[in-house]
Structure formats: structure tokens, C-alpha cells
Amino acid sequence: MTDSAAALPADWVAAHGESGLLAIVPMPVIIGENVFSDDDAELETHISLALAAGTPVRTSRPSPGQFDKAYRAAAEAGFDAVVSIHISKKLSGTLDAAQLAAGRAGIPVRVLDSGTVGMAQGVAVQAAVVAATQGSGAEAVAAVAGAAALRTSVYFYVPSLEQLRRGGRISLASSWVGTVLDIKPLLGIRDGAVVPLEKVRSAAKAIARLETLAAAEIARREPGRAQLSLHHFGNEHQAGILNESLRTRFPGLAAADMTRLPAVLAAHAGLGVLVVVVSDAIVPPQRELGS
């Protein structure tokens, strides 16, 4: 179980959702006075127009009732336990809602704070699904997911800090707000929170620096074992150029996922955000000979 902040690729979700091993609880997005679910097919258009027009865009955690329903569905499907992996508690109240529902679920529920967001959270979910497919128990699945999340790095560029400021997500970068019109910020996720990394004076230089940070992170990992994920919102072409450049520099890089940033995250990051997630490639564990 996870939430829509995991930003998992749609084809991967479709493949594993059919097996019943994976379920995603959608997170609400509030545009003006209207509430949308993050699985609404028209939400990308609605939020893009709202952000461009300056219409207030907010988010909320899923309700405990949504998790009640999801955990009950898992029990009715015959599962013995649930591992519920969620966006960092420092970024959302989603974990609290999951924990409230877990206490009254009909089967054991292990709720895990991924300590991150986007495909860094998604990689933890993918690792958990692989472990579950291999027959691991709930505690082992949770341990694998937690380890995978810890081995991720998230870097991102936003054209403006305004949306993050409105949503209260940049407390550690508050000193930058006064120069918000003069800088192009690079940010990251550290200890479950958004942290400022660098201030750059142009969009082109910021994106080039984003590539440099990602390349350094890839180079630190075992050759052939790094996995690249990119998110974008309103700037798919830019993301494609960055993807191609990194894959040219690292021919052995695991196949990159390039996905639209979920609306629940784009609501805070704003139009033009570029996110790079570097993780270990998700490879099914090798069985010993004769097993």
C-alpha cells in the first residue's frame, strides 16, 4: 500500500495493480474551493491552469476512512498483512492517517515512513513489491523498503519558491524568500524535509547544475547499479533533454523512468519543476542454486 506521492510510472502500476499486490490511496488536491482526487484524469489540466492563473492550490492528507477502506479490501482479498509505505511525515499528515486506520484494521498493518517523496518513495514501494513476490513476510518486506528509501537521493529545481512558500514547505530556505525573484533555487530532500542546496542566477545554469549533482550521485554508486528517475510538470521537453544527457554520460544506467510529477506534489513545487531521483536499481534477489 502507498499513496499517490510515490509518483510510480503508470505502466508499472498497471502491471502490479492487476495482481492485487499493490494499492495506491489517492491524495486530495484543493483548487480554489473544489476538491479533486489525485487520480482524477483531468487534474493535470486543472492544476496547470490554476497555477498559471495564480489560483490558490492546496493539498490535504487522505482521510483515515480512506485507509480503513483500503486495508479492509486487502483483508477481504485474502492477504495476511499489509505494508503501508508513505510520504515523509515532515511533508504530509498522510502517515498519521494511515496509523490511525492501521490500529483498527482486521489484519496486521506495518506503516512505514519512507522519509522521502516522489520516486524515492516509489523505489521503496517497488522494492517491497519485489520482496513480496519472492515470498517475504511483512517485516522483511518493510525492511527491504526502508533500506531502498535510505539509498535514494533527490535533487530538484523550481523556477520560483512561491508555491513552496505558500505551502509552508521551505522553512529551512526561508532566508531565500526575500530574493525569490532573483534566484533559481536547487533543493533536495534530507531527513524527510525539503532543504535548500544552492542558489543559481539563471534557469539554464540551474538545470546544468542539477545535472552535475545527479551525475556525481550516479558516479558514486556501483557501476551498472544506479537507477535514474525524472519528474516534470509543464516542461516535459526539458526533462527529456536532461534524461538524454545523463544517459549519454552513463551508458550503463538502468532504464530511466520519466513521469509527470503527481498533482499533489506539483501543487507545492509549481510549474516548471524538474526532479531527479537517483537510487539503486530494483533487481529481484537471486535465488541460490537448488532453492
Side-chain angles (χ1 to χ4, degrees):
M1 193 84 63
T2 191
D3 53 70
S4 48
L8 289 158
D11 55 350
W12 191 90
V13 170
H16 293 84
E18 289 179 0
S19 70
L21 282 175
L22 174 69
I24 300 175
V25 175
M27 301 173 73
V29 177
I30 305 159
I31 302 175
E33 300 301 320
N34 299 311
V35 180
F36 299 86
S37 173
D38 204 359
D39 58 359
D40 188 320
E42 300 298 320
L43 183 53
E44 180 178 0
T45 299
H46 292 315
I47 198 171
S48 296
L49 291 172
L51 289 170
T55 303
V57 180
R58 298 175 289 123
T59 62
S60 180
R61 71 178 191 180
S63 69
Q66 286 177 267
F67 285 104
D68 283 331
K69 182 178 179 181
Y71 297 151
R72 185 166 56 250
E76 291 172 353
F79 289 99
D80 297 323
V82 174
V83 177
S84 207
I85 305 165
H86 298 291
I87 181 175
S88 169
K89 65 182 178 183
K90 294 182 181 179
L91 299 175
S92 170
T94 299
L95 193 80
D96 291 336
Q99 288 173 328
L100 283 170
R104 54 190 183 232
I107 55 177
V109 176
R110 176 77 160 79
V111 179
L112 179 68
D113 180 0
S114 73
T116 189
V117 70
M119 264 302 288
Q121 174 187 341
V123 164
V125 176
Q126 290 180 327
V129 169
V130 169
T133 301
Q134 296 291 321
S136 298
E139 288 304 313
V141 168
V144 165
L150 286 173
R151 289 280 298 161
T152 62
S153 294
V154 181
Y155 304 102
F156 62 106
Y157 155 73
V158 290
S160 167
L161 288 171
E162 182 59 23
Q163 280 298 117
L164 285 165
R165 182 192 67 79
R166 288 180 180 178
R169 298 306 197 276
I170 55 167
S171 58
L172 292 177
S174 58
S175 62
W176 291 9
V177 174
T179 56
V180 66
L181 298 178
D182 301 320
I183 65 169
K184 299 300 179 185
L186 291 176
L187 305 149
I189 302 293
R190 299 287 185 276
D191 298 322
V194 176
V195 296
L197 298 178
E198 299 178 13
K199 294 183 284 186
V200 186
R201 290 294 177 180
S202 74
K205 289 180 179 179
I207 295 171
R209 183 59 183 153
L210 181 65
E211 179 178 339
T212 298
L213 290 171
E217 182 62 41
I218 293 167
R220 279 194 287 269
R221 295 175 186 256
E222 182 182 339
R225 287 302 309 272
Q227 177 172 303
L228 176 69
S229 302
L230 294 101
H231 302 311
H232 54 83
F233 197 86
N235 55 338
E236 185 174 358
H237 180 66
Q238 275 184 328
I241 293 172
L242 178 58
N243 178 29
E244 185 61 31
S245 181
L246 283 168
R247 291 187 60 75
T248 298
R249 292 174 69 169
F250 298 95
L253 199 60
D257 290 315
M258 198 174 78
T259 59
R260 174 185 67 82
L261 194 68
V264 71
L265 302 182
H268 295 289
L271 288 168
V273 59
L274 278 177
V275 184
V276 176
V277 178
V278 181
S279 63
D280 288 344
I282 302 301
V283 179
Q286 297 296 312
R287 294 186 181 274
E288 295 181 2
L289 293 175
S291 63

